[in-house]
Amino acid sequence: MARISSNDDSQHLIEIYGNVTRLYHKIDSSDLASNSSEYQGMIVQCITDLQRVADRVNQLGIFSDNEDIDDVTTVELRYFIIHALLADLNLKLQNSTLPDVRLQNIDTAKINIRKYLLLCRYYNMYEGNGIQEDEEDDPVPNDPANAKLSTMAQFRLDANSRQAKIERYQQLKEQEKKIKIIEKLMEQDKHQLDEETIRQYRILQIQSWINKSLDSINSIDSEMKILQHMTKMKKNGEDPLKENIDKKRPLPKKPIVITREMIKNKVFGAGYPSLPTMTQEELLEKEIREGKVVLEYNKCK
């Protein structure tokens, strides 16, 4: 692996990266609306500057696939999370309302996540496979035995995924807690932190971004499917927004029409409920027995 050729190159790269990370933290802690022009402008600037750093790191060959994490110096360890930051920034990017533009942004984010997890795997920081490729077709899709096996395998994968999410969440909380403690020590600036503490801080950043990146994969895949469907509809001349509105619109209810003939038939018709069941005298006697009608009269002495 080729190290940075001179102290001047190293210092210049550190300064650029320092400015970029400060801008990233400003974006991450901003109270601005996510779709505001100022907020999106900071994201675009941060992506541009961070990509310059990534290109320079790649030119210098700082990282390789035949080393261990212990072989990376503490100074160079800071550049390890560049692709994770690029992925996060591209997910925040809202530079267009067109689905194909958004699809391009999240596809770029997915590519950067893949690069980051692959780098982590090279340095034995991550044991998984990163983003899985498309699964091969079942050679015998109509075979009931294969279908049952596939279903049971999917259940196991889902269970493992849920358990993995719980474990990642717990790990991430613990990692972020330790990161904040070290960052407070950095902000105090009363004494220079030793290299071991700084290195621990860099390692914690790498581990926390592994967990964040893995959590982003499912949401990226889900959004990509929706956007691909919308893009396909648009190419076919259909309006995806109209389709959503039509799906939400309730079916019209059958109108109730009351006509004069209907009312007339109920009053004067021959069927129920028009036919009387008792005479007026019988109805009066019934009301008196039930106490619904009280007759008043004067008693004669």
Side-chain angles (χ1 to χ4, degrees):
M1 173 178 63
R3 295 299 178 188
I4 297 177
S5 58
S6 69
N7 290 333
D8 291 339
D9 288 340
S10 175
Q11 190 61 35
H12 181 61
L13 193 58
I14 289 172
E15 289 175 1
I16 296 175
Y17 186 68
N19 293 332
V20 172
T21 52
R22 279 189 290 273
L23 179 57
Y24 174 83
H25 288 304
K26 183 179 179 181
I27 293 169
D28 197 44
S29 60
S30 175
D31 294 328
L32 294 171
S34 60
N35 60 348
S36 67
S37 57
E38 183 179 354
Y39 185 83
Q40 290 297 312
M42 289 192 296
I43 291 176
V44 172
Q45 183 62 49
C46 195
I47 289 175
T48 302
D49 295 343
L50 196 56
Q51 189 61 57
R52 285 174 54 204
V53 176
D55 293 340
R56 185 58 179 157
V57 168
N58 187 51
Q59 290 172 4
L60 295 170
I62 293 177
F63 302 117
S64 69
D65 57 358
N66 58 358
E67 290 184 327
D68 193 77
I69 197 68
D70 293 334
D71 298 323
V72 183
T73 66
T74 302
V75 172
E76 294 169 348
L77 205 59
R78 71 183 69 206
Y79 307 120
F80 213 92
I81 62 172
I82 287 176
H83 287 293
L85 296 180
L86 280 170
D88 187 56
L89 288 167
N90 274 279
L91 290 176
K92 289 182 169 72
L93 192 59
Q94 300 177 23
N95 54 346
S96 176
T97 57
L98 297 175
D100 51 342
V101 176
R102 175 60 182 168
L103 184 61
Q104 183 179 357
N105 292 340
I106 63 174
D107 186 56
T108 302
K110 190 173 183 178
I111 291 171
N112 277 286
I113 288 177
R114 189 190 300 275
K115 288 181 179 180
Y116 177 66
L117 293 178
L118 188 61
L119 180 64
C120 292
R121 190 171 63 176
Y122 288 155
Y123 283 87
N124 298 317
M125 296 292 292
Y126 169 62
E127 297 178 356
N129 294 322
I131 303 175
Q132 295 181 352
E133 300 292 344
D134 294 335
E135 296 179 359
E136 295 181 359
D137 294 335
D138 192 338
V140 191
N142 295 324
D143 189 343
N146 285 340
K148 184 177 181 181
L149 179 62
S150 177
T151 303
M152 294 304 295
Q154 187 61 49
F155 286 161
R156 285 193 293 271
L157 286 173
D158 291 344
N160 292 336
S161 177
R162 286 192 291 270
Q163 183 61 31
K165 285 181 180 179
I166 294 172
E167 291 176 359
R168 285 200 302 270
Y169 175 80
Q170 294 172 343
Q171 291 173 2
L172 185 59
K173 288 298 178 184
E174 185 64 26
Q175 289 159 359
E176 289 180 341
K177 181 180 177 182
K178 293 178 179 178
I179 287 173
K180 287 180 180 178
I181 291 174
I182 298 178
E183 284 178 343
K184 285 183 179 179
L185 293 175
M186 291 178 174
E187 290 173 0
Q188 291 175 0
D189 201 26
K190 292 181 179 178
H191 56 279
Q192 186 71 26
L193 295 179
D194 59 90
E195 183 178 350
E196 184 179 350
T197 303
I198 295 175
R199 190 173 185 83
Q200 181 188 6
Y201 174 71
R202 303 295 182 199
I203 295 295
L204 285 169
Q205 282 185 316
I206 295 170
Q207 292 171 340
S208 67
W209 275 110
I210 290 174
N211 288 323
K212 291 176 184 177
S213 299
L214 290 171
D215 285 338
S216 298
I217 292 174
N218 289 334
S219 60
I220 287 175
D221 289 340
S222 299
E223 187 177 357
M224 286 187 77
K225 289 178 182 179
I226 296 172
L227 292 169
Q228 286 168 351
H229 176 66
M230 294 175 68
T231 303
K232 184 178 179 181
M233 288 185 63
K234 192 172 181 181
K235 286 181 179 179
N236 294 335
E238 302 175 29
D239 187 355
L241 297 178
K242 185 177 182 299
E243 182 195 39
N244 292 334
I245 293 173
D246 291 340
K247 286 182 179 180
K248 293 179 181 179
R249 182 180 295 144
L251 294 174
K253 295 181 179 179
K254 186 177 180 179
I256 300 174
V257 180
I258 301 176
T259 65
R260 181 180 298 178
E261 289 298 321
M262 293 172 61
I263 299 174
K264 181 180 177 181
N265 290 337
K266 284 194 174 184
V267 176
F268 300 106
Y272 180 86
S274 60
L275 293 178
T277 58
M278 60 181 68
T279 64
Q280 292 182 356
E281 290 78 6
E282 290 173 339
L283 176 61
L284 180 59
E285 290 178 3
K286 180 175 178 294
E287 297 292 323
I288 293 173
R289 286 196 304 270
E290 293 177 356
K292 296 179 180 179
V293 176
V294 178
L295 299 177
E296 294 183 359
Y297 61 93
N298 294 327
K299 292 183 179 181
C300 297
K301 292 184 180 180

